[in-house]
Amino acid sequence: MARKSTKTSNAEGAVYALPEVLDLKAATPLAEKLMSLRGQNIVLDASKVERLGTQCVQILIAAAATWKDEMAAFSIAEPSDSFTSGLQVLGLTPQAILEKEVAQ
């Protein structure tokens, strides 16, 4: 069973632990959670991610662009090997998510 995601805060802002499985079923809850944190500096803890789907990657890219537009900090910490390899399949890296431009 997937662990529940948690939110704590540190000096950098809110820390949100991404769930182990970021697939189609996780896309809506992920988007809702990120929207609830909008306007705050955020650090996504990706250390527990075991599976990463395209829909959730799209949400993360859109969220990073939103935070950038709002001049709030958005970062990904401790990406697991599975998180990184899931991105690599799509030709991305954790850094690329933060730098990706979203078509307006």
Side-chain angles (χ1 to χ4, degrees):
M1 178 176 210
R3 291 184 195 186
K4 294 255 183 201
S5 300
T6 58
K7 178 189 144 192
T8 59
S9 60
N10 66 17
E12 297 175 8
V15 177
Y16 176 59
L18 293 172
E20 292 177 3
V21 177
L22 287 171
D23 58 4
L24 181 59
K25 286 183 180 181
T28 298
L30 175 63
E32 289 171 351
K33 184 61 174 180
L34 291 173
M35 291 307 295
S36 76
L37 298 171
R38 192 170 175 178
Q40 301 177 49
N41 292 337
I42 186 169
V43 177
L44 299 179
D45 176 357
S47 63
K48 304 281 189 248
V49 176
E50 294 179 6
R51 208 166 61 219
L52 180 63
T54 306
Q55 296 83 0
C56 288
V57 171
Q58 291 173 327
I59 290 166
L60 293 174
I61 290 170
T66 299
W67 263 251
K68 183 177 179 181
D69 287 347
E70 295 178 354
M71 299 176 135
F74 185 94
S75 61
I76 298 171
E78 306 292 328
S80 67
D81 289 342
S82 295
F83 183 86
T84 301
S85 65
L87 291 175
Q88 287 174 342
V89 167
L90 300 171
L92 298 169
T93 64
Q95 190 61 32
I97 286 178
L98 304 177
E99 297 170 355
K100 212 65 164 154
E101 292 294 324
V102 176
Q104 302 284 330

